[in-house]
Amino acid sequence: MSAGLTDEEQSQWRSQGFFVRENQFEGEALRLLQDAVEAAAERARQACPDGRTYWLDGKRFVDVGHRTVQFEHLPGTETVRVIEPVHDLHELLDALVDDPRLVGPMRDLIGASDVTLWTDKLNLKRPLEGSGFGWHQDSPY
């Protein structure tokens, strides 16, 4: 599949505000990305003792340098829930910033030949310990 938008994707974007591309990451590539995410979450967690901890709405956040880490909501948990930014915690995540499967459609959506990363955020939605993400607006945006 072409990295740019298909006519069908463009039509759906204009009429519904979204489109879905399935199977962009499969097999070994997907497994490697999953491993990269887990490694990034562990690196973020390990850095937290050096950060500034604070609580918002009963949720624990830690700012470590330029990064914010949020933990799951259960008391005493060390399970990472959100990392922002995350791309610089693993080389495979960093490579996604320039991956044509992501950059190609974005170029077509904004009508520009060059795009750049403004921010990135990883929301981990774990099957057993993970808490939901209710309707909200991210305060910086």
Side-chain angles (χ1 to χ4, degrees):
M1 175 181 282
S2 165
L5 296 178
T6 66
D7 290 342
E8 182 179 333
E9 289 169 335
Q10 289 175 353
S11 177
Q12 185 176 353
W13 175 258
R14 285 191 299 276
S15 66
Q16 298 179 25
F18 74 95
F19 62 90
V20 176
R21 275 196 181 169
E22 296 184 5
N23 306 317
Q24 293 299 294
F25 299 92
E26 297 183 292
E28 181 67 7
L30 182 58
R31 188 191 65 72
L32 290 172
L33 282 172
Q34 290 170 327
D35 290 348
V37 163
E38 293 302 333
E42 181 58 19
R43 287 178 185 149
R45 187 193 66 72
Q46 288 179 0
C48 285
D50 296 329
R52 180 181 67 88
T53 299
Y54 56 99
W55 298 81
L56 294 173
D57 297 327
K59 299 171 181 94
R60 181 169 59 127
F61 293 77
V62 179
D63 286 346
V64 183
H66 68 285
R67 189 175 338 279
T68 299
V69 179
Q70 181 183 354
F71 288 86
E72 282 296 344
H73 303 158
L74 297 173
T77 186
E78 289 299 314
T79 301
V80 173
R81 171 184 159 90
V82 178
I83 308 166
E84 183 177 12
V86 69
H87 76 277
D88 60 343
L89 286 172
H90 196 282
E91 59 275 0
L92 286 179
L93 301 179
D94 193 43
L96 286 177
V97 172
D98 296 313
D99 192 299
R101 292 169 286 191
L102 303 175
V103 174
M106 292 310 302
R107 286 180 178 141
D108 285 356
L109 286 174
I110 65 172
S113 60
D114 294 320
V115 295
T116 190
L117 181 66
W118 178 51
T119 190
D120 64 293
K121 181 177 185 178
L122 178 63
N123 292 319
L124 296 157
K125 299 177 181 182
R126 303 209 179 263
L128 299 177
E129 189 180 359
S131 51
F133 286 80
W135 286 103
H136 69 283
Q137 177 178 338
D138 290 342
S139 58
Y141 313 117

